[in-house]
């Protein structure tokens, strides 16, 4: 009878708080009206003052249209006596159902957002409005925002079902901003190969222009050359060669495209 | 005993059912000069050799077969530039036979259809170690020599970026360095190869060597080369002049120019040369390299540029590297772009069989199991069809 002995033990210590009643089952009563004995003497069970009856849970007193944010104003653990929902959680035994909310450790362990209902959030926003100013009317387009406030920080939040509320991907924060010195980024710094304005483009254009000059076909301009299908193909091959590295595949594609460009059979 | 019988049989030119005979070269080995004109009267059943000795006529049907290069020509066309092991083999067998293979055939096809009015096309032979890139290049050079092109052959560009003893500061450009020894050696070989052109080509500008010596406009290229050979100090500048003039004049159409560079990745790599204060020299500070880089640019027409990539002599590159971008690096690739990459691979079964037959016929393989099927399979497995490896293996047998 552990349940009965525990309250008796507690009562022996003066100033100790009573345990919260975890069950609504009534605890064994003692004779009412017994005076508190002195701490030095052992008391019998009947000399002890009566234990307070466990009060009915708060849920029974809740109205349907009550003010929920006042029940859970801040983040607090799950209190089964304060949450009027018949929640069940846990793995059921054979031919059973999940455990009820009273005394349910599973419900205690998980994080709950009972303090963040839409009503509560609306109240927060209303309260915060007093501290906010108007959005400046001049910043009505994205370009203006970027021009005046070039720094952008991207954060990401993730929602998923799982044992943990943490998601390591949420720690990634991107800072987007172009500094003046970034314009001096040279070709050696580039992360990937960009074909426009590269030496490869220059080479191929020079070669083709010379070929055309040899064939007395001087009306062709650079832009026209750039637009032809062979050059597009060649560009793709060179970019793939540079970005992905050499392989039989990329090299043979490059070879074919060069052959087509230079009109070799 | 069987080998003695073979030799006897071959002397009388009879068809021996047990062994294939080679065509065209059964005369006593000392008369190499007549090899070209000899009519083949042996049976055409030989699979390892063909009688077609003119590279211009080589086609797909000759693939896998060896053709004979006359030794006289070898001395003129290849005073330098043969791989050392091949040169040893040539000396041993007393003849030079090259196998006709697909990459060379492909290149020959392109070269035959070259449009000399267009800028020179660059071809790059690449492949793993020992697959036959240098010998393919030699095949191409033989073809071009037969077609009367001017051959500008740099046997191994790696020799110019490492282990050079005397480095002089260039008189032409103070920032650059001269390599007199290498330059004069190369000029000698260049003269041997292209003797007949040297008097025909006239330089179009006046070059001043120093206060007392200069060379006038209109004198022949031969004189420039002579000057370079005799005055070793000016050899590098002589090479520079030769390259410049050839580039300029090939566009005029007087001759066709073949630029053949072996180990072209040396041009854009690191060097092991250091100045007196032990600071390293970059490749472009060497005058020879600088001029050669200008030569392989495609801003001239009237010829072609054929190059091979080689890891063998290269500096600071891993042994397994054979792909163009790995060996050329970014700078090299950008300089050579656009080029046609041609892969030279290991032997296919037909070529392998042909090579083994060739060795057997020359009595190079003395092991009794060498001509059996299992022996061949073992050799194929050990060498993986790699020509260089196979040659090294057979040297022990």
């Amino acid at each position: 009878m552990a349940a009965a002995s525990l309250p008796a033990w507690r009562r022996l210590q003066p100033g100790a708080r009573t345990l919260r009643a975890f069950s609504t089952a009534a605890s064994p009563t003692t004779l009412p009206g017994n005076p508190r004995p002195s701490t030095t003497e052992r008391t019998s069970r009947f000399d002890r003052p009566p234990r307070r009856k466990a009060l009915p849970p708060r849920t029974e007193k809740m109205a349907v249209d009550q003010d929920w944010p006042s029940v859970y104003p801040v983040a607090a653990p799950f209190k089964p006596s304060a949450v009027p929902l018949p929640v069940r959680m846990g793995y059921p035994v054979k031919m059973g159902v999940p455990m009820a909310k009273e005394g349910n450790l599973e419900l205690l362990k998980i994080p709950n957002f009972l303090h963040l209902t839409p009503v509560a959030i609306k109240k927060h926003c209303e309260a915060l409005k007093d501290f906010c100013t108007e959005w400046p009317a001049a910043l009505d387009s994205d370009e203006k925002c970027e021009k005046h406030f070039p720094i952008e920080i991207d954060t990401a939040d993730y929602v998923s079902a799982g044992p943990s509320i943490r998601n390591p991907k949420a720690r990634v924060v991107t800072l987007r901003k172009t500094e003046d010195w970034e314009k001096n980024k040279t070709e050696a710094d580039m992360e990937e190969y960009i074909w426009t304005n590269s030496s490869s483009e220059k080479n191929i254009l020079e070669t083709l222009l010379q070929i055309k000059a040899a064939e007395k076909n001087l009306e062709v301009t650079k832009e026209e050359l750039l637009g032809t299908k062979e050059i597009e193909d060649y560009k793709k091959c060179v970019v793939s060669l540079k970005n992905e590295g050499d392989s039989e595949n990329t090299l043979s594609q490059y070879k074919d495209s060069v052959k087509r460009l230079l009109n070799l059979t | 005993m069987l080998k003695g019988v073979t030799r006897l049989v071959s002397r009388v030119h009879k068809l021996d059912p047990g062994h294939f005979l080679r065509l065209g070269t059964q005369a006593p080995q000392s008369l190499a000069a007549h090899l070209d004109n000899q009519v083949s009267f042996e049976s055409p059943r030989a699979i390892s050799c063909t009688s077609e000795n003119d590279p211009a006529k080589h086609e797909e049907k000759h693939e896998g077969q060896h053709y004979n290069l006359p030794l006289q020509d070898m001395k003129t066309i290849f005073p330098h530039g043969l791989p050392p092991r091949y040169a040893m083999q040539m000396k041993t067998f007393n003849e030079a036979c090259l196998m006709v293979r697909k990459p060379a055939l492909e290149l020959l096809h392109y070269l035959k259809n070259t449009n000399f009015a267009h800028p020179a096309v660059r071809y790059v032979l690449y492949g793993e170690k020992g697959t036959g890139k240098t010998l393919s290049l030699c095949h191409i050079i033989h073809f071009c020599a037969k077609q009367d092109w001017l051959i500008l052959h740099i046997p191994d560009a790696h020799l110019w970026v490492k282990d050079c003893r005397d480095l002089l500061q260039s008189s032409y450009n103070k920032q650059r360095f001269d390599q007199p020894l290498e330059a004069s050696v190369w000029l000698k070989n260049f003269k041997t190869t292209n003797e007949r052109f040297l008097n025909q080509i006239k330089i179009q500008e006046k070059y001043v060597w120093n206060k007392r010596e200069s060379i006038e406009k209109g004198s022949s290229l031969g004189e420039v080369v002579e000057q370079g050979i005799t005055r070793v100090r000016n050899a590098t500048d002589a090479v520079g002049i030769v390259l410049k003039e050839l580039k300029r004049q090939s566009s005029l159409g007087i001759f066709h120019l073949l630029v053949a560079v072996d180990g072209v990745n040396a041009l854009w790599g690191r060097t092991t040369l250091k100045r007196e204060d032990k600071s390293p020299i970059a490749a472009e500070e060497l005058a020879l390299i600088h001029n050669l880089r200008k030569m392989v640019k495609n801003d001239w027409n009237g010829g072609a540029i054929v190059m091979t990539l080689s890891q063998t002599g290269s500096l600071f590159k891993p042994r397994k590297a054979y792909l163009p971008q790995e060996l050329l690096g970014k700078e090299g690739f950008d300089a050579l772009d656009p080029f046609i990459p041609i892969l030279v691979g290991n032997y296919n079964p037909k070529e392998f069989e042909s090579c083994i037959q060739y060795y057997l016929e020359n009595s190079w393989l003395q092991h009794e199991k060498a001509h059996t099927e299992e022996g061949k399979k073992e050799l194929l497995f050990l060498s993986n069809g790699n020509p260089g490896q196979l040659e090294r293996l057979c040297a022990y047998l």
Side-chain angles (χ1 to χ4, degrees):
Chain A
M1 286 297 289
S5 60
L6 265 175
W9 174 73
R10 280 282 168 157
R11 285 222 66 214
L12 283 174
Q13 291 175 332
R17 289 206 206 111
T18 50
L19 272 175
R20 257 190 259 132
F22 273 86
S23 64
T24 48
S27 49
T29 53
T30 53
L31 283 172
N34 265 1
R36 187 188 275 264
S38 68
T39 47
T40 47
E41 293 172 20
R42 281 216 180 258
T43 51
S44 70
R45 222 172 134 183
F46 298 100
D47 295 333
R48 269 183 253 137
R51 203 161 132 245
R52 265 188 1 200
K53 274 209 179 78
L55 296 168
R58 193 175 158 180
T59 53
E60 287 168 18
K61 285 186 239 153
M62 283 179 177
V64 174
D65 52 354
Q66 67 168 329
D67 180 32
W68 181 257
S70 57
V71 180
Y72 263 89
V74 291
F78 182 83
K79 297 176 201 132
S81 58
V83 177
L85 306 164
V87 177
R88 285 183 177 270
M89 180 144 170
Y91 193 82
V93 293
K94 252 195 284 198
M95 312 303 286
V97 291
M99 278 175 60
K101 65 177 175 176
E102 285 86 9
N104 197 332
L105 196 58
E106 300 293 326
L107 284 168
L108 265 185
K109 285 196 288 192
I110 57 173
N112 66 64
F113 294 95
L114 292 164
H115 56 293
L116 289 178
T117 51
V119 181
I121 295 189
K122 228 187 240 178
K123 277 199 180 166
H124 296 325
C125 290
E126 291 299 318
L128 283 174
K129 268 209 171 93
D130 292 335
F131 300 98
C132 295
T133 57
E134 287 261 332
W135 181 261
L139 286 177
D140 49 5
S141 72
D142 270 340
E143 291 85 23
K144 285 194 195 157
C145 291
E146 276 204 29
K147 184 170 149 237
H148 294 286
F149 299 98
I151 302 184
E152 289 181 19
I153 298 190
D154 291 333
T155 50
D157 294 319
Y158 296 85
V159 176
S160 60
S164 157
I165 52 167
R166 317 262 174 224
N167 191 328
K169 288 194 276 191
R171 299 184 65 206
V172 175
V173 171
T174 322
L175 173 70
R176 277 195 287 161
K177 182 182 97 164
T178 323
E179 295 235 26
D180 284 329
W181 51 261
E182 279 196 42
K183 290 186 192 76
N184 299 338
K185 193 170 160 184
T186 58
E187 219 178 312
D189 294 325
M190 295 277 186
E191 299 94 13
E192 58 167 15
Y193 185 74
I194 304 177
W195 194 71
T196 49
N197 295 334
S198 73
S199 57
S200 170
E201 192 188 7
K202 271 186 244 134
N203 285 349
I204 191 73
L205 282 175
E206 265 175 41
T207 319
L208 284 177
L209 280 172
Q210 279 179 358
I211 294 182
K212 299 288 180 214
E215 292 173 2
K216 308 284 182 286
N217 193 2
L218 291 161
E219 299 92 38
V220 184
T221 58
K222 260 193 181 174
E223 284 71 25
E224 278 182 36
L225 280 178
L226 276 176
T228 53
K229 193 169 148 304
E230 283 98 18
I231 293 257
E232 282 297 314
D233 205 23
Y234 175 76
K235 170 182 168 181
K236 261 189 266 169
C237 293
V238 172
V239 168
S240 77
L241 248 188
K242 290 260 181 178
N243 283 341
E244 293 157 30
D246 294 331
S247 76
E248 294 305 309
N249 210 3
T250 44
L251 277 172
S252 57
Q253 275 174 354
Y254 175 73
K255 181 174 166 183
D256 290 329
S257 78
V258 174
K259 273 185 357 196
R260 267 193 300 255
L261 264 180
L262 302 176
N263 294 328
L264 293 172
T265 43
Chain B
M1 216 247 3
L2 203 56
K3 287 179 285 268
V5 170
T6 322
R7 241 176 243 135
L8 204 58
V9 166
S10 68
R11 286 260 150 104
V12 298
H13 303 302
K14 253 205 265 203
L15 182 62
D16 185 356
H19 295 266
F20 294 126
L21 290 176
R22 289 188 311 109
L23 303 170
T25 54
Q26 292 313 312
Q29 265 100 7
S30 53
L31 293 177
H34 297 306
L35 292 171
D36 242 357
N37 308 325
Q38 204 169 24
V39 174
S40 62
F41 38 77
E42 277 80 33
S43 121
R45 275 177 19 173
I47 58 167
S48 79
C49 284
T50 172
S51 58
E52 188 53 74
N53 287 339
D54 184 9
K57 302 209 190 76
H58 283 157
E59 275 158 37
E60 303 241 338
K61 61 177 195 239
H62 296 118
E63 190 184 326
Q65 297 183 343
H66 294 83
Y67 82 101
N68 204 327
L69 290 111
L71 285 174
Q72 287 292 61
D73 281 355
M74 296 302 274
K75 283 210 199 68
T76 16
I77 308 175
F78 298 113
H80 52 189
L82 287 177
R85 288 193 75 96
Y86 183 72
M88 280 197 289
Q89 183 184 303
M90 216 170 79
K91 210 165 121 190
T92 319
F93 293 168
N94 221 350
E95 60 167 10
C97 269
L98 263 190
M99 194 194 281
V100 177
R101 293 179 74 197
K102 224 199 197 117
L105 281 174
E106 198 184 331
L107 246 187
L108 284 177
H109 175 74
Y110 294 141
L111 286 177
K112 281 180 211 165
N113 301 340
T114 324
N115 185 336
F116 293 106
H118 286 179
V121 184
R122 290 173 288 200
Y123 307 94
V124 175
L125 290 163
Y126 70 99
E128 287 183 2
K129 198 168 150 128
T131 44
K133 303 179 284 288
T134 310
L135 280 181
S136 299
L137 190 67
C138 293
H139 189 167
I140 304 297
I141 294 177
H142 186 220
F143 163 75
C144 292
K146 280 267 174 283
Q147 302 280 310
D148 227 18
W149 290 33
L150 206 164
I151 314 277
L152 197 75
H153 182 42
I154 286 99
D156 193 358
H158 291 299
L159 293 174
W160 288 359
V161 296
K162 52 183 180 176
D163 301 335
C164 299
R165 261 223 241 95
D166 321 300
L167 276 181
L168 301 172
Q169 203 186 26
S170 168
S171 47
Y172 179 70
N173 184 338
K174 288 277 176 289
Q175 264 89 30
R176 299 206 206 116
F177 290 93
D178 273 357
Q179 287 152 292
L181 287 173
E182 282 80 22
S184 59
V185 162
W186 186 81
L187 278 173
K188 275 197 213 88
N189 291 327
F190 176 71
K191 184 173 155 193
T192 325
T193 317
N194 299 305
E195 195 86 59
R196 60 188 183 286
F197 285 105
L198 292 178
N199 291 329
Q200 293 168 12
I201 303 174
K202 309 279 179 222
I203 57 175
Q204 293 175 344
E205 220 184 278
K206 180 178 166 178
Y207 296 100
V208 179
W209 299 115
N210 51 33
K211 270 186 251 179
R212 272 169 287 167
E213 293 168 8
S214 65
I215 193 152
E216 294 296 327
K217 177 171 161 176
S219 44
S220 73
L221 206 61
E223 287 181 31
V224 178
V225 176
E226 279 306 322
Q227 178 76 286
I229 297 177
T230 45
R231 301 242 174 223
V232 183
R233 280 183 80 91
N234 298 335
T236 318
D237 291 328
V239 173
I241 294 173
V242 163
L243 292 178
K244 190 162 145 193
E245 287 294 323
L246 285 178
K247 193 164 155 176
R248 205 192 289 173
Q249 296 197 18
S250 79
S251 317
L252 302 175
I254 314 171
F255 54 85
H256 302 310
L257 179 61
L258 173 75
V259 179
V261 187
D262 201 342
V264 75
N265 44 323
L267 296 184
W268 289 282
R270 285 164 64 180
T271 71
T272 51
L273 306 173
K274 295 195 172 58
R275 298 193 187 90
E276 283 95 21
D277 54 357
K278 306 273 196 280
S279 59
I281 302 183
E284 46 272 354
E285 291 174 8
L286 294 168
L288 281 179
I289 304 291
H290 179 85
N291 292 328
L292 198 53
R293 277 196 200 176
K294 282 197 283 193
M295 203 65 207
V296 300
K297 228 171 106 141
N298 64 346
D299 49 1
W300 53 278
N301 55 347
I305 311 176
V306 183
M307 302 167 274
T308 65
L309 297 176
S310 166
Q311 192 277 330
T312 317
S314 72
L315 297 162
F316 308 104
K317 286 271 183 270
R319 209 164 75 81
K320 295 278 177 195
Y322 74 95
L323 293 165
Q325 277 198 94
E326 288 169 351
L327 286 175
L328 284 172
K330 185 177 169 310
E331 220 188 306
F333 186 87
D334 284 336
L336 285 183
D337 189 38
F339 61 90
I340 310 247
I342 301 180
L343 173 65
V344 181
N346 288 333
Y347 281 150
N348 59 29
K350 183 172 163 214
E351 291 171 342
F352 178 79
E353 189 60 44
S354 166
C355 188
I356 297 280
Q357 284 296 332
Y358 176 67
Y359 286 142
L360 282 173
E361 283 154 19
N362 277 40
S363 315
W364 188 234
L365 296 175
Q366 299 285 323
H367 197 274
E368 26 330 313
K369 290 243 186 79
H371 57 274
T372 59
E373 273 310 308
E374 306 149 10
K376 285 182 199 162
K377 273 198 211 139
E378 198 175 327
L379 279 174
L380 179 64
F381 175 75
L382 281 173
S383 64
N384 197 21
N386 185 298
Q389 199 60 26
L390 181 64
E391 197 265 318
R392 281 178 167 83
L393 278 175
C394 294
Y396 298 126
L397 295 174

